[in-house]
């Protein structure tokens, strides 16, 4: 059985002093802390490679914050960044707005809240999970192609994406319901959600926070 691991990495902290729900808006760059997170996360993967991990493929969402998070990893591992639009942030009808909690008290926005299970304010959870899992499977297959002859270690791919798509993909992989309380997502900045495969079947999901020491005080306005 061909073994592989696909790591879903959330981007680092974004420079967003107005607290905008930035979603898919362009040109939201990493903050200074976000760049530090990206460097530290790259160091984490470089250490794993030095210990024998076969990390052979790197993919990023087309959004600026994901590309900037992936760049130090590319440099540390001597990999080329492949851009995949399927791992982009979720669509959200509140995109571009700030002070979201206060807006939710305004009646004109209530029609967007009628179905939190879909959700009615943005891209359906099922659609997100389907597109990301398709990208994950393609990354797994590409890593196997690049990995060459089989060894006792799985080949590995890294996909730099966004909190909500990563979280619903994890829920799908663990056969859990996709609707959830956003406050309960286990997917911090530059966290790593790892999907371990035997063949094309996910056998295990793991989670790590290589930048846990940098999280206190970090701004964490979700993109969706």
């Amino acid at each position: 059985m061909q073994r592989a691991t696909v790591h879903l990495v959330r981007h680092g902290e974004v420079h967003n002093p107005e607290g905008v729900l930035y979603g898919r808006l362009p040109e939201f760059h990493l903050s200074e802390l976000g760049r530090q997170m990206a460097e530290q996360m790259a160091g984490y993967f470089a250490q794993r490679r030095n210990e024998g991990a076969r990390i052979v493929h790197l993919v990023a969402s087309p959004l600026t914050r994901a590309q900037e998070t992936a760049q130090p990893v590319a440099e540390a591992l001597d990999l080329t960044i492949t851009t995949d639009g399927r791992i982009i942030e979720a669509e959200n009808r509140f995109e571009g707005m700030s002070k979201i909690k206060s807006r939710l008290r305004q009646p004109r926005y209530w029609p967007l809240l009628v179905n939190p299970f879909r959700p009615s304010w943005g891209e359906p959870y099922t659609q997100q999970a389907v597109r990301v899992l398709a990208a994950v499977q393609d990354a797994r297959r590409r890593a196997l192609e690049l990995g060459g002859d089989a060894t006792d270690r799985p080949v590995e791919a890294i996909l730099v994406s966004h909190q909500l798509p990563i979280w619903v993909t994890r829920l799908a992989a663990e056969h859990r319901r996709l609707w959830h309380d956003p406050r309960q997502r286990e997917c911090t900045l530059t966290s790593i959600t790892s999907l371990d495969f035997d063949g094309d079947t996910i056998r295990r999901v793991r989670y790590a926070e290589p930048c846990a020491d940098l999280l206190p005080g970090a701004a964490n306005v979700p993109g969706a």
Side-chain angles (χ1 to χ4, degrees):
M1 190 74 74
Q2 292 180 307
R3 294 189 301 139
T5 296
V6 178
H7 304 286
L8 295 172
V9 175
R10 186 183 174 193
H11 61 79
E13 184 194 55
V14 174
H15 179 69
N16 184 18
E18 302 302 321
V20 173
L21 195 153
Y22 36 74
R24 295 181 174 182
L25 294 175
E27 300 309 318
F28 272 84
H29 295 269
L30 294 183
S31 65
E32 184 61 37
L33 178 60
R35 289 190 289 273
Q36 185 179 351
M37 289 177 171
E39 292 285 351
Q40 185 161 311
M41 187 260 298
Y44 169 86
F45 280 117
Q47 181 176 344
R48 291 196 64 258
R49 183 199 56 187
N50 292 339
E51 294 170 353
R54 296 198 298 152
I55 307 170
V56 297
H57 188 39
L58 175 61
V59 184
S61 156
L63 294 176
T64 302
R65 58 192 185 272
Q67 293 283 322
E68 291 180 347
T69 301
Q71 189 58 45
V73 181
E75 294 170 0
L77 302 182
D78 193 24
L79 296 174
T80 299
I81 300 171
T82 298
T83 299
D84 191 332
R86 292 174 296 180
I87 60 173
I88 199 170
E89 180 62 278
E91 294 178 338
N92 192 306
R93 292 181 178 85
F94 291 102
E95 181 179 281
M97 301 181 189
S98 58
K99 300 179 181 179
I100 300 300
K101 289 183 179 180
S102 65
R103 294 180 188 274
L104 298 182
R105 294 192 288 268
Q106 301 175 25
R108 61 176 171 156
Y109 294 115
W110 291 353
L112 298 180
L113 307 176
V114 295
N115 185 0
F117 303 104
R118 184 179 183 268
S120 51
W121 57 82
E123 183 182 9
Y125 294 137
T126 301
Q127 183 174 308
Q128 295 177 52
V130 167
R131 63 175 168 85
V132 176
L133 283 170
V136 164
Q137 288 287 6
D138 282 351
R140 176 189 66 83
R141 286 188 284 266
R142 181 57 178 155
L144 288 168
E145 292 173 358
L146 294 169
D149 295 335
T151 70
D152 60 343
R153 291 179 179 268
V155 292
E156 302 182 25
I158 300 168
L159 276 62
V160 182
S161 184
H162 309 270
Q163 186 190 62
L164 179 52
I166 292 173
W167 180 243
V168 295
T169 299
R170 174 177 173 177
L171 293 177
E174 295 177 334
H175 306 289
R176 292 194 273 164
R177 67 172 187 243
L178 301 187
W179 63 269
H180 60 279
D181 182 343
R183 296 169 297 182
Q184 302 302 314
R185 295 172 189 163
E186 186 180 38
C187 189
T188 61
L189 295 164
T190 53
S191 61
I192 303 170
T193 299
S194 301
L195 308 179
D196 293 332
F197 286 85
D198 282 337
D200 60 1
T201 301
I202 298 172
R203 296 300 186 189
R204 182 174 62 161
V205 178
R206 295 177 287 120
Y207 178 77
E209 294 181 349
C211 299
D213 59 313
L214 300 178
L215 293 175
N220 195 22
V221 176

